[in-house]
Amino acid sequence: MSISEQRLSASVLVIGTGGAGLRAAIELAEAGVDVLAVGKRPKEDAHTALAAGGINAALATMDPEDSWQQHAADTLKESYLLADPRTVEIVTQGAALGIDDLERYGMAFAREEDGRISQRFFGAHKFRRTAFAGDYTGLEIQRTLIRRASQLDIPMLDSVYITRLLVHDGAVFG
Ligand SMILES: Cc1cc2nc3c(=O)[nH]c(=O)nc-3n(C[C@H](O)[C@H](O)[C@H](O)COP(=O)(O)OP(=O)(O)OC[C@H]3O[C@@H](n4cnc5c(N)ncnc54)[C@H](O)[C@@H]3O)c2cc1C
């Protein structure tokens, strides 16, 4: 059996082609950074694709009283105060922008008749805050991110298991 060797280089290596990795790779590519994304499984098969319930952001499309501060408070309470408050602040404050980005990439969120993104209860919420796409929100997110990454010509390698990073003087070289 012959083993083929392929050498690739990029300014940034993103390990993981689920929602987090692809979103990071897209941000880098949109900023003009040369990026390579790799995942140990086929990119359609990240955990992200399994998420069903939806994605939370205080868009206030259904309940105008909602706010990111209330989202943060609900999240901290539901974590029994184990969640890191700064992380919760960053995530809840930035969640609406995350939804905007997914819309910009063409994600098909469920909508009300007047075009507002629908939001429903899911988890310990004071208000309806979960945006969704049927019962396949994660699959739709994953497909949307793959499509956007492809439009940006981001190389995405499937089935590459990173076991070790070779580092010299702070730079990864293998
Ligand atoms: C059944 C289920 C239902 C869920 N429902 C919801 C929901 O309704 N709402 C919600 O907000 N969240 C939900 N979640 C949680 C949510 O899906 C995850 O928190 C989120 O998708 C994590 O995204 P991620 O990109 O960090 O990880 P993942 O999607 O798991 O991606 C990880 C990536 O890293 C790669 N990888 C890992 N190790 C290596 C390695 N050594 N080398 C190379 N690649 C590697 C994997 O191949 C994959 O591409 C659910 C999760 C599951 C499993």
Side-chain angles (χ1 to χ4, degrees), residues 15-22 38-43 45-56 122 130 137-138 142 160-163:
I15 303 171
T17 47
L22 288 177
V38 303
K40 68 180 177 181
R41 298 278 306 151
K43 54 187 166 301
D45 192 26
H47 278 141
T48 298
L50 296 173
I55 179 168
N56 292 340
F122 180 51
T130 302
T137 307
Q142 187 70 8
V160 175
Y161 199 135
I162 305 283
T163 55

Short mmCIF file of all heavy atoms in Angstrom, two decimals, residues 15-22 38-43 45-56 122 130 137-138 142 160-163, ligand 1:
data_model
loop_
_atom_site.label_atom_id
_atom_site.label_comp_id
_atom_site.label_asym_id
_atom_site.label_seq_id
_atom_site.Cartn_x
_atom_site.Cartn_y
_atom_site.Cartn_z
N ILE A 15 -9.08 23.94 13.64
CA ILE A 15 -9.32 22.52 13.89
C ILE A 15 -10.77 22.35 14.31
O ILE A 15 -11.19 22.85 15.35
CB ILE A 15 -8.36 21.98 14.97
CG1 ILE A 15 -6.91 22.22 14.56
CG2 ILE A 15 -8.63 20.50 15.21
CD1 ILE A 15 -5.91 21.91 15.66
N GLY A 16 -11.53 21.66 13.47
CA GLY A 16 -12.95 21.46 13.73
C GLY A 16 -13.77 22.15 12.65
O GLY A 16 -13.58 23.34 12.38
N THR A 17 -14.67 21.39 12.03
CA THR A 17 -15.53 21.96 10.99
C THR A 17 -17.00 21.83 11.39
O THR A 17 -17.87 21.59 10.56
CB THR A 17 -15.26 21.30 9.62
OG1 THR A 17 -15.23 19.87 9.80
CG2 THR A 17 -13.94 21.75 9.02
N GLY A 18 -17.26 21.99 12.69
CA GLY A 18 -18.64 22.15 13.16
C GLY A 18 -18.97 23.64 13.12
O GLY A 18 -18.29 24.44 12.45
N GLY A 19 -20.02 24.01 13.84
CA GLY A 19 -20.46 25.41 13.82
C GLY A 19 -19.37 26.39 14.25
O GLY A 19 -19.15 27.41 13.59
N ALA A 20 -18.68 26.07 15.32
CA ALA A 20 -17.67 27.01 15.84
C ALA A 20 -16.51 27.17 14.86
O ALA A 20 -16.10 28.29 14.54
CB ALA A 20 -17.16 26.52 17.20
N GLY A 21 -15.99 26.05 14.39
CA GLY A 21 -14.83 26.10 13.50
C GLY A 21 -15.15 26.79 12.18
O GLY A 21 -14.40 27.66 11.71
N LEU A 22 -16.28 26.41 11.58
CA LEU A 22 -16.63 27.01 10.28
C LEU A 22 -16.90 28.50 10.43
O LEU A 22 -16.50 29.31 9.58
CB LEU A 22 -17.86 26.31 9.68
CG LEU A 22 -17.61 24.89 9.16
CD1 LEU A 22 -18.91 24.27 8.65
CD2 LEU A 22 -16.55 24.88 8.05
N VAL A 38 -9.94 21.94 9.14
CA VAL A 38 -9.92 20.47 9.09
C VAL A 38 -10.81 19.89 10.18
O VAL A 38 -10.95 20.47 11.26
CB VAL A 38 -8.48 19.89 9.25
CG1 VAL A 38 -7.55 20.43 8.18
CG2 VAL A 38 -7.93 20.15 10.63
N GLY A 39 -11.41 18.75 9.86
CA GLY A 39 -12.25 18.06 10.83
C GLY A 39 -11.96 16.58 10.79
O GLY A 39 -11.58 16.04 9.74
N LYS A 40 -12.15 15.91 11.91
CA LYS A 40 -11.82 14.47 11.94
C LYS A 40 -12.93 13.64 11.29
O LYS A 40 -12.74 12.49 10.98
CB LYS A 40 -11.58 14.01 13.37
CG LYS A 40 -12.80 14.03 14.26
CD LYS A 40 -12.48 13.56 15.68
CE LYS A 40 -13.73 13.66 16.55
NZ LYS A 40 -13.49 13.26 17.92
N ARG A 41 -14.12 14.24 11.14
CA ARG A 41 -15.26 13.56 10.52
C ARG A 41 -15.68 14.34 9.29
O ARG A 41 -15.35 15.52 9.16
CB ARG A 41 -16.43 13.51 11.51
CG ARG A 41 -16.16 12.76 12.78
CD ARG A 41 -16.31 11.28 12.62
NE ARG A 41 -17.62 10.93 12.07
CZ ARG A 41 -17.84 9.86 11.32
NH1 ARG A 41 -16.87 9.02 11.03
NH2 ARG A 41 -19.05 9.62 10.85
N PRO A 42 -16.46 13.72 8.39
CA PRO A 42 -17.01 14.50 7.27
C PRO A 42 -17.73 15.74 7.81
O PRO A 42 -18.40 15.66 8.84
CB PRO A 42 -17.99 13.53 6.62
CG PRO A 42 -17.48 12.18 6.98
CD PRO A 42 -16.85 12.31 8.34
N LYS A 43 -17.59 16.85 7.12
CA LYS A 43 -18.07 18.12 7.69
C LYS A 43 -19.58 18.15 7.89
O LYS A 43 -20.07 18.90 8.71
CB LYS A 43 -17.61 19.31 6.85
CG LYS A 43 -17.93 19.25 5.39
CD LYS A 43 -17.26 20.42 4.67
CE LYS A 43 -17.27 20.22 3.16
NZ LYS A 43 -16.58 18.96 2.73
N ASP A 45 -21.11 15.94 9.29
CA ASP A 45 -21.37 15.04 10.41
C ASP A 45 -20.82 15.57 11.74
O ASP A 45 -20.41 14.80 12.59
CB ASP A 45 -20.76 13.66 10.08
CG ASP A 45 -21.22 12.59 11.04
OD1 ASP A 45 -22.31 12.75 11.61
OD2 ASP A 45 -20.49 11.60 11.23
N ALA A 46 -20.80 16.88 11.92
CA ALA A 46 -20.40 17.44 13.22
C ALA A 46 -21.60 17.39 14.16
O ALA A 46 -22.74 17.31 13.71
CB ALA A 46 -19.94 18.88 13.01
N HIS A 47 -21.34 17.49 15.46
CA HIS A 47 -22.45 17.53 16.43
C HIS A 47 -23.44 18.64 16.10
O HIS A 47 -24.65 18.51 16.33
CB HIS A 47 -21.92 17.75 17.85
CG HIS A 47 -21.43 16.50 18.50
ND1 HIS A 47 -20.31 16.45 19.29
CD2 HIS A 47 -21.93 15.23 18.46
CE1 HIS A 47 -20.12 15.21 19.71
NE2 HIS A 47 -21.08 14.46 19.23
N THR A 48 -22.89 19.73 15.56
CA THR A 48 -23.74 20.87 15.23
C THR A 48 -24.96 20.44 14.40
O THR A 48 -26.07 20.95 14.61
CB THR A 48 -22.91 21.93 14.46
OG1 THR A 48 -21.87 22.38 15.32
CG2 THR A 48 -23.77 23.12 14.03
N ALA A 49 -24.75 19.50 13.50
CA ALA A 49 -25.84 19.08 12.60
C ALA A 49 -26.95 18.35 13.36
O ALA A 49 -28.05 18.18 12.83
CB ALA A 49 -25.29 18.19 11.50
N LEU A 50 -26.67 17.92 14.60
CA LEU A 50 -27.68 17.16 15.37
C LEU A 50 -28.58 18.06 16.21
O LEU A 50 -29.64 17.61 16.67
CB LEU A 50 -26.98 16.16 16.29
CG LEU A 50 -26.17 15.06 15.61
CD1 LEU A 50 -25.40 14.25 16.65
CD2 LEU A 50 -27.09 14.16 14.82
N ALA A 51 -28.16 19.30 16.43
CA ALA A 51 -28.96 20.18 17.30
C ALA A 51 -30.33 20.38 16.68
O ALA A 51 -30.46 20.68 15.50
CB ALA A 51 -28.25 21.51 17.48
N ALA A 52 -31.35 20.19 17.49
CA ALA A 52 -32.70 20.20 16.93
C ALA A 52 -33.53 21.38 17.42
O ALA A 52 -34.27 22.00 16.66
CB ALA A 52 -33.40 18.89 17.29
N GLY A 53 -33.40 21.69 18.69
CA GLY A 53 -34.34 22.64 19.32
C GLY A 53 -34.28 24.04 18.75
O GLY A 53 -35.31 24.66 18.48
N GLY A 54 -33.09 24.58 18.58
CA GLY A 54 -32.97 25.94 18.06
C GLY A 54 -31.81 26.69 18.66
O GLY A 54 -31.00 26.11 19.38
N ILE A 55 -31.74 27.97 18.36
CA ILE A 55 -30.61 28.80 18.76
C ILE A 55 -31.15 30.06 19.45
O ILE A 55 -32.07 30.70 18.96
CB ILE A 55 -29.73 29.13 17.53
CG1 ILE A 55 -28.55 29.99 17.89
CG2 ILE A 55 -30.51 29.76 16.40
CD1 ILE A 55 -27.51 30.08 16.75
N ASN A 56 -30.57 30.36 20.61
CA ASN A 56 -31.13 31.41 21.45
C ASN A 56 -30.49 32.77 21.23
O ASN A 56 -29.27 32.89 21.18
CB ASN A 56 -30.93 31.04 22.93
CG ASN A 56 -31.78 29.84 23.31
OD1 ASN A 56 -32.75 29.54 22.63
ND2 ASN A 56 -31.41 29.18 24.39
N PHE A 122 -37.74 27.47 24.82
CA PHE A 122 -36.91 26.25 24.82
C PHE A 122 -35.91 26.43 25.95
O PHE A 122 -35.12 27.36 25.94
CB PHE A 122 -36.20 26.13 23.47
CG PHE A 122 -35.30 24.92 23.33
CD1 PHE A 122 -35.75 23.65 23.62
CD2 PHE A 122 -34.00 25.07 22.87
CE1 PHE A 122 -34.93 22.56 23.48
CE2 PHE A 122 -33.16 23.97 22.72
CZ PHE A 122 -33.63 22.71 23.03
N THR A 130 -35.99 31.38 21.25
CA THR A 130 -35.30 30.39 20.43
C THR A 130 -35.70 30.53 18.96
O THR A 130 -36.86 30.31 18.60
CB THR A 130 -35.63 28.97 20.93
OG1 THR A 130 -35.24 28.88 22.29
CG2 THR A 130 -34.90 27.92 20.12
N THR A 137 -32.66 22.65 13.14
CA THR A 137 -31.93 23.92 13.15
C THR A 137 -30.43 23.72 12.97
O THR A 137 -29.78 24.43 12.20
CB THR A 137 -32.19 24.65 14.49
OG1 THR A 137 -33.60 24.73 14.70
CG2 THR A 137 -31.58 26.04 14.49
N GLY A 138 -29.87 22.75 13.70
CA GLY A 138 -28.43 22.54 13.63
C GLY A 138 -27.99 22.11 12.24
O GLY A 138 -26.97 22.57 11.72
N GLN A 142 -25.42 24.06 9.93
CA GLN A 142 -24.23 23.42 9.37
C GLN A 142 -24.19 23.56 7.85
O GLN A 142 -23.17 23.93 7.27
CB GLN A 142 -24.21 21.93 9.80
CG GLN A 142 -22.96 21.18 9.43
CD GLN A 142 -21.73 21.59 10.23
OE1 GLN A 142 -21.82 22.36 11.19
NE2 GLN A 142 -20.57 21.12 9.82
N VAL A 160 -9.50 14.32 8.75
CA VAL A 160 -8.11 14.53 9.17
C VAL A 160 -8.11 14.67 10.69
O VAL A 160 -8.68 15.62 11.23
CB VAL A 160 -7.52 15.82 8.54
CG1 VAL A 160 -6.13 16.09 9.08
CG2 VAL A 160 -7.48 15.70 7.02
N TYR A 161 -7.51 13.71 11.36
CA TYR A 161 -7.52 13.69 12.83
C TYR A 161 -6.22 14.33 13.31
O TYR A 161 -5.14 13.78 13.12
CB TYR A 161 -7.62 12.25 13.32
CG TYR A 161 -8.08 12.10 14.74
CD1 TYR A 161 -9.05 11.16 15.08
CD2 TYR A 161 -7.55 12.88 15.75
CE1 TYR A 161 -9.47 11.02 16.38
CE2 TYR A 161 -7.98 12.75 17.06
CZ TYR A 161 -8.94 11.81 17.37
OH TYR A 161 -9.36 11.68 18.67
N ILE A 162 -6.33 15.48 13.93
CA ILE A 162 -5.14 16.16 14.46
C ILE A 162 -4.78 15.50 15.79
O ILE A 162 -5.60 15.48 16.72
CB ILE A 162 -5.40 17.67 14.68
CG1 ILE A 162 -5.90 18.35 13.40
CG2 ILE A 162 -4.16 18.35 15.26
CD1 ILE A 162 -4.87 18.64 12.37
N THR A 163 -3.59 14.98 15.87
CA THR A 163 -3.16 14.34 17.12
C THR A 163 -2.10 15.14 17.84
O THR A 163 -1.93 15.05 19.05
CB THR A 163 -2.59 12.93 16.85
OG1 THR A 163 -1.54 13.04 15.88
CG2 THR A 163 -3.67 11.99 16.32
C1 LIG B 1 -28.34 15.71 19.86
C2 LIG B 1 -27.92 17.13 20.19
C3 LIG B 1 -28.88 18.14 20.25
C4 LIG B 1 -28.50 19.45 20.52
N1 LIG B 1 -29.47 20.44 20.54
C5 LIG B 1 -29.11 21.74 20.70
C6 LIG B 1 -30.05 22.80 20.57
O1 LIG B 1 -31.23 22.59 20.31
N2 LIG B 1 -29.62 24.07 20.75
C7 LIG B 1 -28.31 24.35 21.04
O2 LIG B 1 -27.98 25.56 21.18
N3 LIG B 1 -27.39 23.38 21.16
C8 LIG B 1 -27.76 22.08 20.98
N4 LIG B 1 -26.81 21.10 21.06
C9 LIG B 1 -25.45 21.48 21.36
C10 LIG B 1 -24.77 22.05 20.12
O3 LIG B 1 -25.05 21.24 19.00
C11 LIG B 1 -23.26 22.13 20.34
O4 LIG B 1 -22.98 22.86 21.50
C12 LIG B 1 -22.57 22.80 19.17
O5 LIG B 1 -23.02 22.29 17.93
C13 LIG B 1 -21.06 22.64 19.30
O6 LIG B 1 -20.46 23.15 18.12
P1 LIG B 1 -18.91 22.96 17.92
O7 LIG B 1 -18.55 23.50 16.55
O8 LIG B 1 -18.19 23.51 19.11
O9 LIG B 1 -18.67 21.38 17.99
P2 LIG B 1 -18.99 20.21 16.92
O10 LIG B 1 -20.17 20.52 16.05
O11 LIG B 1 -18.99 18.96 17.74
O12 LIG B 1 -17.72 20.24 15.99
C14 LIG B 1 -16.46 19.78 16.46
C15 LIG B 1 -15.57 19.62 15.25
O13 LIG B 1 -14.24 19.31 15.70
C16 LIG B 1 -13.74 18.21 14.96
N5 LIG B 1 -12.69 17.59 15.78
C17 LIG B 1 -12.73 17.25 17.08
N6 LIG B 1 -11.55 16.76 17.47
C18 LIG B 1 -10.73 16.79 16.39
C19 LIG B 1 -9.36 16.42 16.13
N7 LIG B 1 -8.59 15.90 17.10
N8 LIG B 1 -8.85 16.61 14.89
C20 LIG B 1 -9.60 17.15 13.90
N9 LIG B 1 -10.90 17.53 14.09
C21 LIG B 1 -11.44 17.35 15.31
C22 LIG B 1 -14.99 17.35 14.67
O14 LIG B 1 -14.78 16.48 13.59
C23 LIG B 1 -15.99 18.46 14.33
O15 LIG B 1 -15.80 18.88 12.98
C24 LIG B 1 -27.15 19.77 20.77
C25 LIG B 1 -26.17 18.75 20.70
C26 LIG B 1 -26.54 17.47 20.38
C27 LIG B 1 -25.46 16.39 20.26
#
